[in-house]
Amino acid sequence: QVQLVQSGAEVKKPGASVKVSCKASGYTFTNYDINWVRQATGQGLEWMGWMNPNSGNTGSAQKFQGRVTMTRDTSISTAYMELSSLRSEDTAVYYCARAPITVAGPPLAWFDPWGQGTLVTVSS
Amino acid sequence: QSVLTQPPSVSAAPGQKVTISCSGSSSNIGNNYVSWYQQLPGTAPKLLIYENNKRPSAIPDRFSGSKSGTSATLGITGLQAGDEADYYCGAWDDSLSAVVFGGGTELTVL
């Protein structure tokens, strides 16, 4: 079955970076985009950005530009999201999610499935 | 402050129907597809509706979606205790060049 499995929880100090992995299985990795969405405790969903695993092209929300880097290793069907200059407000569960690649027009922007989530805690 | 506006909570009795609204603008819902997600406590979101009104094959037809102008609605019929969850709408926003979500609606089955 189609599945995204993420790396385990992380605890980081303010100013550090974190890199979360997302391993895909059950489908052709390069045929779908990977998006990243985060959720602080008790809060709603916040979209961070997308990556096309085939081309490596990426796009991110303005809030994260300059701080987020999305990469992939197609040989192991794994996507990565690295967030730098961490602050306490970055404490959240980070999800990867698969999305259809949009050939023309605005992104279709629907996500299925989602990874199980990775808790990133930023604390001194 | 979310770009898409949802009611914080809705409730209904088992077996009844409930609707959840999602209000946006011409730059998001008005010009792009809407999707809906169910998030059970402590779990990742799950896709319920995509492209305004389409259901993934595993989602029962008790769940439906519609869109009119700059608003969208999720409908759930035959409410069950297992439907208690948070529900989110999402869409692409042309002005922000970003995916935007509603703040989420907590469904309580009385």
Side-chain angles (χ1 to χ4, degrees):
Chain A
Q1 75 281 21
V2 176
Q3 198 173 5
L4 299 175
V5 178
Q6 299 182 221
S7 48
E10 303 262 14
V11 179
K12 296 292 182 181
K13 294 194 181 302
S17 296
V18 68
K19 190 171 186 177
V20 178
S21 68
C22 171
K23 182 171 177 59
S25 61
Y27 72 98
T28 302
F29 180 59
T30 50
N31 284 357
Y32 293 82
D33 284 347
I34 292 290
N35 283 248
W36 293 90
V37 178
R38 75 178 187 179
Q39 184 174 38
T41 301
Q43 302 301 306
L45 303 174
E46 182 176 32
W47 181 78
M48 299 180 68
W50 64 270
M51 180 189 66
N52 180 315
N54 185 45
S55 64
N57 290 345
T58 63
S60 61
Q62 187 170 16
K63 173 178 181 177
F64 300 103
Q65 287 175 7
R67 260 202 331 138
V68 68
T69 304
M70 289 167 284
T71 57
R72 87 291 190 206
D73 184 340
T74 56
S75 69
I76 55 172
S77 300
T78 299
Y80 303 93
M81 186 282 298
E82 184 170 20
L83 189 62
S84 62
S85 303
L86 289 169
R87 34 210 188 231
S88 58
E89 310 90 88
D90 294 318
T91 294
V93 175
Y94 289 75
Y95 295 102
C96 62
R98 190 185 75 161
I101 291 176
T102 304
V103 175
L108 295 173
W110 51 266
F111 308 132
D112 181 48
W114 296 56
Q116 84 276 19
T118 297
L119 175 62
V120 175
T121 303
V122 183
S123 173
S124 55
Chain B
Q1 204 89 353
S2 301
V3 174
L4 305 181
T5 301
Q6 298 181 233
S9 63
V10 296
S11 62
Q16 296 301 302
K17 175 182 178 178
V18 70
T19 60
I20 298 173
S21 61
C22 176
S23 178
S25 67
S26 58
S27 65
N28 42 66
I29 293 178
N31 201 39
N32 294 298
Y33 287 121
V34 177
S35 55
W36 289 91
Y37 305 88
Q38 177 193 61
Q39 187 174 33
L40 298 169
T43 69
K46 180 173 78 172
L47 178 69
L48 288 179
I49 298 289
Y50 66 101
E51 295 178 11
N52 302 334
N53 55 17
K54 299 177 182 177
R55 280 180 292 106
S57 57
I59 302 301
D61 60 6
R62 300 189 299 110
F63 296 89
S64 63
S66 64
K67 186 181 101 166
S68 178
T70 59
S71 293
T73 301
L74 173 70
I76 311 172
T77 60
L79 275 175
Q80 304 172 0
D83 295 331
E84 284 204 336
D86 293 327
Y87 292 83
Y88 294 91
C89 58
W92 179 259
D93 189 292
D94 296 327
S95 298
L96 298 173
S97 291
V99 176
V100 293
F101 290 102
T105 298
E106 181 181 20
L107 169 63
T108 300
V109 181
L110 301 170

